[in-house]
């Protein structure tokens, strides 16, 4: 689903932009005032942000042949906390419309209710207002529609929860998402164990930099003996990059290109605490290259194989990549480029489709910083946009 965000100095301007860009059938998914605090309005002026989509399967849309004020929003706007101030959008929105259009506000509300009743999706049509808000928030966060609907079904089946209570619904939503996110915890390293951990994945996701972050943290902060092996002989620059990190951190490093060389390199490093293995990026569609990777990894006998995925990829791309690399024995996921992603709802699909837990998350290029162990709570908060 393609979601566009429009910003304007008034709600009406934003809605007019949506009509021009996406057409009268566009659906308004979410609205908020960016400078909701008193100081923000004084110094920066009012600034509205509206998210909309022309292909969202939700009941409220812009009316095809209506006057500019006749716009149906996705749901009544509820109080939202921004910058420590609770801004009551419902009351303010009504005041703004009443000041300019008077009784047209009643027509707006009637149109919204009428569109909800005419929605072809009966399940969505019958949603209580607070639950409908949860649904649109999930869609805006790039959660796949089928995953969002599963979450709604779960919430509706809880007998002890009031489906008209936004706070109760969102608290349960956090618990649900946290429960669905599986994590591994950090790599466990024992002295002299020679534990082999490999990183695999497509090109351009940050495997080499992530290897360097892990190596630096285990060597400098946990005082473990660490060795590096790279089979990324397709990109000379990647080998030199890792060698530079190895020299700075003072780690042994070996470059291998055949299964025999892999077996011998691992044997020479068995006395170390941890052996980290970098691999060449493979396209998830290139099964020949992935099978080659499987053969060379078999000689290293890794204890863990983490597939590295970029957070900026869509949900379908993430799940497809994770599934294609599963044949090499992946045990976990490292999510990179969190700092470049605008939404993280795509992470919900990984666990539900692939069943793989998340081990680490990275959010920058700094070594050894910009990496953290994934926790279910942290990932859930990031997906739902909770600071």
């Amino acid at each position: 689903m393609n979601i566009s965000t429009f910003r304007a100095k008034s709600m009406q301007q934003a809605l007019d932009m949506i009509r021009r860009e996406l057409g009268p059938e566009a659906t308004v998914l979410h609205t908020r005032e960016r400078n909701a605090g008193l100081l923000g309005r004084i110094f920066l002026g009012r600034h509205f942000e509206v998210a909309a989509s022309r292909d969202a399967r939700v009941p409220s849309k812009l009316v095809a042949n209506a006057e500019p004020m006749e716009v149906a929003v996705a749901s009544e706007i509820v109080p939202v906390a921004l910058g420590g101030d609770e801004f009551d959008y419902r009351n303010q929105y009504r005041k703004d419309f009443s000041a300019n259009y008077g009784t047209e506000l009643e027509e707006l509300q009637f149109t919204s209710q009428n569109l909800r009743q005419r929605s072809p999706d009966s399940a969505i049509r019958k949603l209580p207002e607070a639950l409908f808000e949860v649904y649109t928030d999930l869609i805006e966060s790039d959660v796949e529609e089928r995953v969002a609907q599963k979450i709604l079904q779960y919430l509706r089946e809880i007998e002890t929860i009031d489906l008209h209570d936004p706070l109760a619904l969102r608290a349960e939503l956090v618990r649900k998402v946290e429960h669905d996110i599986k994590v591994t915890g950090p790599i466990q390293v024992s002295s002299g164990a020679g534990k082999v951990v490999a990183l695999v994945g497509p090109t351009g996701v940050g495997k080499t930099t992530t290897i360097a972050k892990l190596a630096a943290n285990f060597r400098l902060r946990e005082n473990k003996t660490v060795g590096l092996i790279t089979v990324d002989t397709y990109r000379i620059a990647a080998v030199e990059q890792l060698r530079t990190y190895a020299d700075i951190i003072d780690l042994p490093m070996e470059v291998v290109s055949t299964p025999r060389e892999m077996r011998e390199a691992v044997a020479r490093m068995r006395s170390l605490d941890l052996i980290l293995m970098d691999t060449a990026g493979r396209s998830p569609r290139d099964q020949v290259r992935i099978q080659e990777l499987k053969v060379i990894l078999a000689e290293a006998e890794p204890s863990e194989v983490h597939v590295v995925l970029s957070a900026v990829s869509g949900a379908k791309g993430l799940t497809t990549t994770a599934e294609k690399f599963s044949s090499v024995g992946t045990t976990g996921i490292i999510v990179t480029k969190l700092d470049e992603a605008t939404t993280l709802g795509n992470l919900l699909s990984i666990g539900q489709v692939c069943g793989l837990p998340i081990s680490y998350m990275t959010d920058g290029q700094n070594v050894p910083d910009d990496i953290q162990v994934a926790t279910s709570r942290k990932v859930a908060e990031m997906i739902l946009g909770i600071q």
Side-chain angles (χ1 to χ4, degrees):
M1 177 188 302
N2 293 320
I3 298 176
S4 301
T5 301
F6 298 82
R7 297 179 177 86
K9 293 183 178 179
S10 71
M11 184 66 69
Q12 186 59 53
Q13 288 179 6
L15 296 175
D16 288 342
M17 292 168 62
I18 294 171
R19 187 188 304 279
R20 289 194 301 270
E21 296 291 331
L22 302 181
E25 294 301 314
T27 299
V28 176
L29 299 176
H30 181 75
T31 63
R32 62 174 172 172
E33 186 179 359
R34 298 288 297 196
N35 301 327
L38 178 60
L39 293 179
R41 289 197 294 272
I42 292 175
F43 292 104
L44 301 177
R46 306 194 69 179
H47 184 188
F48 291 89
E49 182 177 276
V50 182
S53 173
R54 61 160 52 96
D55 54 2
R57 293 176 57 196
V58 293
S60 47
K61 297 180 178 180
L62 296 175
V63 185
N65 298 312
E67 293 298 321
M69 76 287 289
E70 294 174 334
V71 181
V73 294
S75 59
E76 287 189 75
I77 305 170
V78 298
V80 177
L82 289 175
D85 296 327
E86 184 178 90
F87 182 75
D88 192 337
Y89 277 109
R90 180 185 290 121
N91 292 334
Q92 186 61 47
Y93 193 46
R94 288 173 176 168
K95 290 177 182 177
D96 291 346
F97 267 79
S98 296
N100 295 282
Y101 304 112
T103 58
E104 279 84 351
L105 179 59
E106 296 180 2
E107 185 176 351
L108 169 69
Q109 295 168 333
F110 172 79
T111 304
S112 178
Q113 295 170 0
N114 188 39
L115 285 170
R116 181 184 288 274
Q117 293 170 358
R118 298 204 317 261
S119 172
D121 191 332
S122 60
I124 299 298
R125 184 178 67 231
K126 297 177 182 178
L127 288 179
E129 201 70 42
L131 192 58
F132 185 78
E133 283 285 339
V134 170
Y135 177 77
T136 56
D137 285 350
L138 289 172
I139 294 299
E140 186 185 0
S141 297
D142 201 26
V143 175
E144 285 188 289
E145 187 173 348
R146 60 187 178 83
V147 176
Q149 290 179 349
K150 286 182 179 180
I151 293 175
L152 291 189
Q153 184 62 32
Y154 167 81
L155 294 174
R156 297 179 76 176
E157 292 175 355
I158 301 176
E159 296 181 356
T160 58
I161 193 172
D162 181 1
L163 297 182
H164 299 276
D165 184 346
L167 294 179
L169 278 173
R170 293 183 186 281
E172 188 60 43
L173 175 64
V174 173
R175 286 191 288 268
K176 169 61 176 172
V177 174
E178 183 177 355
H179 175 270
D180 288 347
I181 295 295
K182 306 301 180 184
V183 296
T184 65
I187 298 171
Q188 299 297 323
V189 179
S190 301
S191 298
K195 183 173 186 175
V196 179
V197 176
L199 268 60
V200 301
T203 58
V205 294
K207 291 187 300 297
T208 302
T209 303
T210 302
I211 281 275
K213 292 175 183 177
L214 290 171
N217 275 283
F218 279 105
R219 179 69 185 92
L220 303 177
R221 294 178 176 171
E222 300 191 25
N223 200 30
K224 301 295 183 182
T225 56
V226 181
L228 301 177
I229 296 177
T230 179
V231 289
D232 193 349
T233 56
Y234 297 99
R235 294 189 308 135
I236 301 302
V239 174
E240 292 307 313
Q241 179 186 10
L242 193 61
R243 191 183 302 279
T244 299
Y245 285 127
D247 291 341
I248 294 173
I249 309 171
D250 192 21
L251 304 179
M253 173 180 161
E254 301 219 15
V255 180
V256 304
S257 57
T258 67
R260 178 179 177 178
E261 290 177 355
M262 173 63 74
R263 184 169 59 252
E264 293 172 348
V266 171
R268 286 190 290 270
M269 293 187 176
R270 278 299 183 189
S271 61
L272 301 176
D273 301 334
L274 176 64
I275 305 169
L276 293 171
M277 184 187 308
D278 193 14
T279 62
R282 261 79 172 180
S283 166
R285 295 185 296 273
D286 191 342
Q287 287 303 304
V288 173
R289 293 293 189 189
I290 290 180
Q291 287 304 310
E292 290 178 355
L293 177 62
K294 182 179 180 180
V295 171
I296 202 166
L297 283 179
E299 295 297 329
E301 299 181 336
S303 301
E304 300 178 17
V305 179
H306 300 255
V307 58
V308 182
L309 302 175
S310 170
V312 299
S313 300
K316 185 176 181 180
L318 287 179
T319 55
T320 298
T321 300
E323 288 177 326
K324 294 297 185 181
F325 278 92
S326 63
S327 63
V328 305
T330 50
T331 59
I333 296 171
I334 295 177
V335 181
T336 62
K337 302 187 179 182
L338 293 175
D339 55 314
E340 300 179 20
T342 56
T343 57
L344 293 171
N346 48 5
L347 300 184
L348 263 180
S349 300
I350 300 178
Q352 294 199 7
V353 175
C354 307
L356 286 175
I358 301 174
S359 54
Y360 291 89
M361 303 181 295
T362 75
D363 57 359
Q365 297 296 315
N366 296 322
V367 177
D369 302 317
D370 296 341
I371 188 170
Q372 58 183 309
V373 178
T375 66
S376 297
R377 167 64 66 164
K378 181 61 177 179
V379 177
E381 290 177 347
M382 295 174 71
I383 289 173
L384 299 174
I386 301 173
Q387 299 300 325

